[in-house]
Amino acid sequence: MKRLVFASVTCALMLCVVTASAVQPAVSVIRPVGFQRGQQVEATFSGARLGDVEELLFYQPGVAVAGIEKVNENSFKAKLDVAADCQLGLHAVRVRTATGISDLRLFTVGALPEVEETEPNNDFLSPQAVSLNSTVTGVVQNEDVDYFVVEAKQGDRIVAELEGLRLGYTFFDPYVAILNEDRFELARSDDASLLWQDCYCAVEAPKDGKYIVQVRESAYGGNGASHYRLHVGTFPRPAAVVPAGGRPGETVQVRWIGGMGNEWTENVTLPTDAPTEYALFAQTPQGIAPSPNMVRVIDLQNAVEAEPNNDRTVATAATAPGAMNGVIQEPDDVDYFKFTATKGQVFDIRVYARNTLRSPLDAVLYVQRANGGNVGSNDDSAGPDSYLRFTAPEDGEFFVMIRDHLNNGGPHFAYRIELTPVAPKLTLGVAEKVRYIPTIMPVPKGNRVAMLLNAARADFGGELNVNFEGLPAGMTVETIPMAADRTDIPVLVSVAPDAANSGALVDVVGRPADENIKVVGHLNQRSMLVRGQNNRDVWGHDAQRLAMSVADAVPFSIEIVQPQVPIVRNGSMNLKVVAKRDEGFNAPIRLQMLYNPPGIGSSGSVSIAGDQTEALIPVTANNGATIKSWPIIVMAQAAHAGGTVEVASQIAQLEVADSPFGFTFQKAAGELKQETAVAVELEVKTEFEGEAKIELLGLPANTATPPEGKVVTKETTQVVFPVTIDESARPGVYKSLVCRATIMKNGEPIVMTLGTGELRVDKPLPPKVATTQPAAKPAEAKPAPMPTEKPLSRLEQLRLEKQQAEAAGG
């Protein structure tokens, strides 16, 4: 499902009256789940909030909409013209309503006449009769078994391929078997590696007669969402094709390897404009395969193994760069290829087996010198397939060896090894706003919506530019260049108030700002349709277009009040957001930053109350916040028309600056019922005009300092805070003291908070016991210590107390 071509057909609505709109449309099922090509069919789309449907967005060409008829608020019927040359297999579609875009759903297109399963058909002795070369659409319920009977002549091929999990509705492990009239099982299949967790089997009819096809869930489970499509016929069903690829426009002689061990060859011409991963369908006079074998279309010279090649001395010759193709034909088989390289040449060597070809091979890859010494090896760097980067250590001949990890093998253990120069690669993505749910972009008229676009660069660096191609009329996009040290950027999408409702699957294209770097990146967006335990991605769809639409207006919008001062490291600010509400709209509006710049944090639980038009988002900056001006966007959500709508603010600028002060705390101590002082040395790191206020915070309970704080200027080097310790304070060491500095600029505060200081609270010493002593000679009076602003340490305080006691004759 790679690089799908976009086709969107605006529907001629057959609704007499458009009812009240509803946001967030959802499609739970399409019935039937597949169609025969070359036919006009009627499909029912069911789900939620579909009453204002306007358009279907198809990710592949071949299906056109002849009309839509509303059934109720949650379903509609669509007449679809399926072209005679429509590609077989899976297709993806979304529903565009006046107010939103639905989730993605799959349907299939087949070549055979369609038959609906008819219950009861769960008795082997009373199977449902179907014609050979037909497609049955059905559902497996819990503990359900469906039986179908076909008639065949001796020597006829009977092939049964089932689409179940691939339809994307539920975690469904189907099982199919072919039996004779005596209930003897001739063939069966649970999981076929070619078809992921779906299955196929094939037999050659041993005699004229009736043959029973059994369909069930492998563990006799199932439910109302366990839809399937059973193709039964004489069509070919190859498990592998060798070579599994070729050059664009090249005619390649391929060897098809069938499920029953049969083989045949065919000359296949690959399209000049084919995607890199291309769906190739096997076709014979007996029919066409219901689903494809995937091959690679890339400008590399093919080398196909010539047996025997299980040793370096008989290795198949290949080129570098080039592609090596073959089959691990039996257990313990290994295949060798040889190529030449010069010292310092660098190649990516990648195996395509399980991931693309759906081969059962679990490849292990080795690169060796002529003497057998390993240069490199790999098992699973590319998922279940192998990948390594090879640098030629010297001029000469090198060998690629491939085998199965468990030394398994068989006629279908096909592989393709591509040896390519290192080249830059770029893939774009859109960050999810809801976990596991791909982001789509319905934008209300006269409003804005935002997203975070990310990029994965490989083997290159530098700034990127991003464009959106094929936008709906009236829609505009604001982007910024993606800096070399960033992997994401905010994107703001706006729609004019007078734009007409429309939708498109938009090509998102990334290119390096440096024109000398030749790479173009496109979107790859995964829809996880079936999730397993721990939300494991079991089955889904990869789209190369972003669903966007012009939607009905919503009753509110928001604006950021542009801050007039920076946020500083170790600082904070309140970002003001103002809402404009239509009269009568009083729903709470939830606010959240689209993203936080590095080192910036923001509250995600702020709302504008229903009777209010503004709110403050607390924003903080840590000590490592990146100093620069950052574009920021606030997202807003509110309940409306039976769902939730989302809009965005304009792009504002958040300037991040260095801390204006550095604080160094002196340790302080004091006894209960006394007063002490906390001294803080000031380092002015950023000069400022006028005065600033410094406050001491974080004092322990039952201690206090005057709340007005201290006023300082850029020349101030120290502040001293008097601290009163109440007798109810708890003795101990408190390391929670911080200072908050506030500087006013442009009528707004610049606030920073930094710590930590220490205050020790002591109990008073016990009184001394009186003793009889000879009269002491009157001591010469000592001058009292001069008062000072500098606070005394605890040791200095004790010394002073001792001096005072001695002076008093104590």
Side-chain angles (χ1 to χ4, degrees):
M1 307 285 290
K2 303 285 187 181
R3 178 66 65 188
L4 302 182
V5 180
F6 161 63
S8 171
V9 183
T10 303
C11 308
L13 295 180
M14 298 173 61
L15 303 175
C16 296
V17 178
V18 177
T19 59
S21 64
V23 298
Q24 291 180 303
V27 177
S28 57
V29 66
I30 303 171
R31 285 194 175 91
V33 292
F35 322 112
Q36 182 185 6
R37 66 181 178 182
Q39 305 291 316
Q40 184 176 89
V41 299
E42 183 176 81
T44 300
F45 289 70
S46 301
R49 299 174 292 277
L50 298 172
D52 57 341
V53 56
E54 292 186 344
E55 187 179 10
L56 300 182
L57 301 174
F58 296 100
Y59 284 81
Q60 282 179 277
V63 181
V65 178
I68 291 179
E69 180 181 0
K70 175 183 172 182
V71 175
N72 53 47
E73 291 300 326
N74 297 318
S75 66
F76 64 88
K77 293 181 179 180
K79 286 186 178 180
L80 305 177
D81 289 325
V82 186
D85 61 350
C86 182
Q87 180 171 298
L88 301 181
L90 292 167
H91 290 245
V93 64
R94 292 184 187 269
V95 175
R96 183 185 67 79
T97 67
T99 51
I101 303 172
S102 78
D103 45 347
L104 181 145
R105 282 296 173 195
L106 300 178
F107 62 91
T108 64
V109 172
L112 304 176
E114 301 283 325
V115 178
E116 286 284 338
E117 176 205 3
T118 303
E119 293 283 1
N121 64 340
N122 56 352
D123 187 345
F124 178 84
L125 299 177
S126 303
Q128 179 180 343
V130 298
S131 300
L132 199 59
N133 290 313
S134 60
T135 296
V136 183
T137 299
V139 178
V140 171
Q141 300 286 351
N142 188 41
E143 298 186 354
D144 188 15
V145 180
D146 292 341
Y147 292 100
F148 305 93
V149 59
V150 297
E151 293 192 10
K153 299 292 185 181
Q154 182 179 359
D156 284 351
R157 285 171 49 82
I158 304 174
V159 184
E161 178 180 330
L162 189 139
E163 296 165 316
L165 178 78
R166 287 177 290 168
L167 297 175
Y169 285 106
T170 188
F171 191 86
F172 173 36
D173 187 10
Y175 172 98
V176 64
I178 301 174
L179 304 89
N180 63 17
E181 291 182 275
D182 297 325
R183 210 163 191 160
F184 183 81
E185 194 174 78
L186 304 177
R188 66 178 177 181
S189 175
D190 180 0
D191 298 331
S193 59
L194 178 69
L195 306 179
W196 288 266
Q197 204 160 323
D198 287 342
C199 45
Y200 75 92
C201 58
V203 299
E204 186 175 290
K207 62 179 182 179
D208 295 358
K210 295 181 178 181
Y211 293 86
I212 314 299
V213 179
Q214 179 195 73
V215 175
R216 60 176 172 85
E217 206 275 336
S218 62
Y220 291 93
N223 54 54
S226 298
H227 300 277
Y228 67 83
R229 296 249 297 165
L230 172 66
H231 308 278
V232 183
T234 59
F235 49 81
R237 177 59 280 165
V241 58
V242 180
R247 290 169 162 163
E250 181 182 17
T251 298
V252 181
Q253 185 180 70
V254 301
R255 176 166 58 100
W256 295 103
I257 304 171
M260 297 191 301
N262 57 316
E263 297 184 7
W264 70 99
T265 60
E266 178 185 2
N267 288 331
V268 173
T269 300
L270 299 172
T272 57
D273 58 349
T276 303
E277 293 185 0
Y278 176 66
L280 186 63
F281 289 83
Q283 186 167 7
T284 67
Q286 287 72 41
I288 184 170
S291 57
N293 292 78
M294 301 304 297
V295 297
R296 300 264 305 165
V297 181
I298 184 172
D299 190 13
L300 294 174
Q301 182 176 325
N302 268 335
V304 181
E305 67 160 330
E307 290 286 358
N309 69 332
N310 57 350
D311 187 88
R312 287 190 303 278
T313 60
V314 288
T316 298
T319 61
M324 309 164 191
N325 303 266
V327 178
I328 300 299
Q329 300 180 76
E330 58 189 10
D332 296 321
D333 187 20
V334 297
D335 287 347
Y336 279 88
F337 296 84
K338 61 183 179 181
F339 66 95
T340 58
T342 58
K343 183 178 180 178
Q345 273 192 298
V346 182
F347 294 102
D348 283 337
I349 306 179
R350 189 180 300 270
V351 175
Y352 294 91
R354 288 197 177 186
N355 271 342
T356 300
L357 310 186
R358 299 306 305 167
S359 167
L361 176 67
D362 183 3
V364 181
L365 178 72
Y366 300 86
V367 180
Q368 301 175 344
R369 290 182 168 93
N371 63 6
N374 271 357
V375 180
S377 64
N378 183 257
D379 183 4
D380 291 335
S381 284
D385 289 335
S386 304
Y387 161 80
L388 63 85
R389 179 159 290 178
F390 164 77
T391 301
E394 66 269 335
D395 294 354
E397 195 168 56
F398 297 91
F399 295 82
V400 171
M401 189 266 275
I402 184 171
R403 65 172 176 86
D404 183 79
H405 178 72
L406 298 177
N407 293 314
N408 292 323
H412 311 142
F413 281 60
Y415 61 83
R416 177 178 172 89
I417 306 169
E418 291 183 357
L419 194 152
T420 59
V422 175
K425 301 176 183 65
L426 173 62
T427 303
L428 304 180
V430 178
E432 293 177 349
K433 297 179 181 179
V434 179
R435 194 175 185 186
Y436 306 124
I437 306 299
T439 297
I440 52 178
M441 298 295 290
V443 187
K445 296 176 184 178
N447 223 312
R448 300 171 292 241
V449 172
M451 60 182 162
L452 197 62
L453 186 76
N454 50 59
R457 303 173 179 90
D459 296 308
F460 79 101
E463 187 176 90
L464 294 177
N465 295 320
V466 178
N467 295 311
F468 287 68
E469 299 179 0
L471 290 167
M475 181 179 288
T476 57
V477 172
E478 292 181 61
T479 66
I480 60 173
M482 186 181 296
D485 61 347
R486 296 291 297 169
T487 59
D488 54 31
I489 53 170
V491 175
L492 189 68
V493 186
S494 304
V495 166
D498 58 350
N501 283 17
S502 62
L505 299 178
V506 175
D507 192 9
V508 185
V509 185
R511 296 181 177 88
D514 183 350
E515 296 181 355
N516 294 317
I517 302 176
K518 303 302 181 184
V519 63
V520 178
H522 296 269
L523 179 74
N524 185 52
Q525 187 179 49
R526 180 71 171 176
S527 292
M528 292 173 57
L529 299 175
V530 179
R531 283 181 267 166
Q533 291 182 343
N534 300 319
N535 288 303
R536 180 173 63 91
D537 186 356
V538 175
W539 180 250
H541 175 271
D542 293 316
Q544 281 71 50
R545 299 290 188 274
L546 179 64
M548 307 180 74
S549 73
V550 175
D552 285 351
V554 297
F556 72 101
S557 61
I558 64 165
E559 292 275 345
I560 296 173
V561 176
Q562 173 63 51
Q564 300 302 306
V565 295
I567 186 171
V568 297
R569 286 177 169 175
N570 299 306
S572 61
M573 72 163 42
N574 289 320
L575 187 66
K576 188 174 182 179
V577 180
V578 177
K580 180 180 179 181
R581 297 175 179 268
D582 287 359
E583 185 176 354
F585 179 73
N586 57 5
I589 301 172
R590 299 184 298 278
L591 303 177
Q592 187 173 20
M593 296 274 280
L594 173 67
Y595 81 109
N596 291 318
I600 301 297
S602 63
S603 173
S605 58
V606 175
S607 292
I608 301 176
D611 59 349
Q612 300 294 316
T613 58
E614 61 184 51
L616 300 176
I617 300 178
V619 180
T620 59
N622 64 28
N623 189 50
T626 303
I627 296 175
K628 64 177 289 186
S629 182
W630 293 93
I632 59 170
I633 299 172
V634 171
M635 305 298 297
Q637 291 185 337
H640 172 61
T644 300
V645 293
E646 180 179 78
V647 300
S649 71
Q650 86 284 17
I651 296 177
Q653 294 297 318
L654 181 67
E655 182 183 351
V656 180
D658 197 6
S659 304
F661 293 106
F663 298 140
T664 303
F665 290 78
Q666 295 183 9
K667 293 183 179 180
E671 293 182 351
L672 302 178
K673 297 194 299 181
Q674 289 190 358
E675 184 177 287
T676 186
V678 175
V680 181
E681 305 295 331
L682 265 63
E683 176 193 4
V684 178
K685 299 171 67 176
T686 303
E687 290 195 359
F688 59 94
E689 298 297 325
E691 298 178 333
K693 183 171 76 170
I694 310 293
E695 302 167 86
L696 179 65
L697 308 175
L699 289 168
N702 301 310
T703 66
T705 190
E708 63 271 14
K710 299 288 185 179
V711 175
V712 301
T713 66
K714 61 185 179 182
E715 285 81 22
T716 305
T717 59
Q718 184 190 66
V719 289
V720 178
F721 297 95
V723 176
T724 303
I725 305 174
D726 190 82
E727 63 179 339
S728 60
R730 183 175 179 178
V733 177
Y734 298 91
K735 300 181 179 181
S736 56
L737 276 60
V738 298
C739 278
R740 180 170 66 197
T742 303
I743 302 171
M744 295 302 297
K745 182 179 180 181
N746 298 326
E748 295 183 9
I750 300 173
V751 180
M752 68 160 286
T753 303
L754 187 64
T756 55
E758 179 181 314
L759 172 66
R760 191 177 78 246
V761 177
D762 296 326
K763 292 181 179 179
L765 295 175
K768 293 183 178 180
V769 178
T771 58
T772 303
Q773 296 182 357
K777 182 180 180 180
E780 185 178 347
K782 295 183 180 180
M786 295 296 292
T788 176
E789 282 294 321
K790 182 178 180 180
L792 300 179
S793 69
R794 183 56 178 160
L795 180 60
E796 290 171 332
Q797 290 176 9
L798 292 173
R799 287 174 179 168
L800 178 62
E801 290 172 2
K802 181 179 179 180
Q803 292 173 0
Q804 292 172 341
E806 290 174 349

